[in-house]
Amino acid sequence: MSSIETLLNGFRKFRELYYEKSPGLYRDLIHHGQNPRFAVVACSDSRVDPAIVLQTEPGDIFAVRNVAALVPPFEQDGLYHGTSAALEFAVRGLHVEHIIIIGHAHCGGVDSMIQQQEGGEDLGMFIGAWTSLLREARERALADSPGLKGDALLAASERHAVRLSLENLTTFPFVREAVAAGKLSLQGWYLNIFDGALEIWDPESATFSQVS
Ligand SMILES: [Zn+2]
């Protein structure tokens, strides 16, 4: 069954689990407000829902999802910055203790950036401009390993994209201030959706290491 009824059945299960079996959970979250300790920036890809991947409960994570799990650089141009607005609220409104960028393998957003850099067609009115923010991820991957291509170039660019988003995070004054005050940590993770492996960026050793 893959109709709207599938979703409505899902909602009925959610209601049974979180309202009938745990009637206090949402009541507390309403009375006391949300107090998530984690903000997550993840890709919109249907395979990498952070609540499922990290097995969290309602109220645990403040999630921002966009094409390629991308944090844009700080820009004050009066335009419409959805991801930046969410990050501002997470840090200044919710005082989250961690911001976690979760990039992933086989990311269509990173792939479309590579295709475009290699002369492919622009995929639409917005995707090309958005993913062009990741151009440097491909350039850095090629600087590390000249001649890289195909899946290997994609995987290397995806990991560099996570690092680029981490760097962009530090261009936001409120992020820099919270990190300097010891109130906020920034994390870069890479989810390999082939084999269910998670890698964490370690800035000290400048490597991703796999979670056991
Ligand atoms: Zn993706």
Side-chain angles (χ1 to χ4, degrees), residues 42-45 47-48 66-69 103-110 158:
C43 187
S44 299
D45 190 305
R47 301 164 293 186
V48 296
N66 62 37
V67 171
H104 71 99
H106 286 261
C107 182
V110 178
E158 287 159 346

Side-chain angles (χ1 to χ4, degrees), residues 148-172:
L148 213 54
K149 52 187 158 191
D151 286 348
L153 175 60
L154 177 60
S157 300
E158 287 159 346
R159 288 181 176 86
H160 273 293
V162 170
R163 296 170 58 186
L164 205 53
S165 282
L166 279 175
E167 290 169 26
N168 285 344
L169 264 180
T170 65
T171 64
F172 288 78

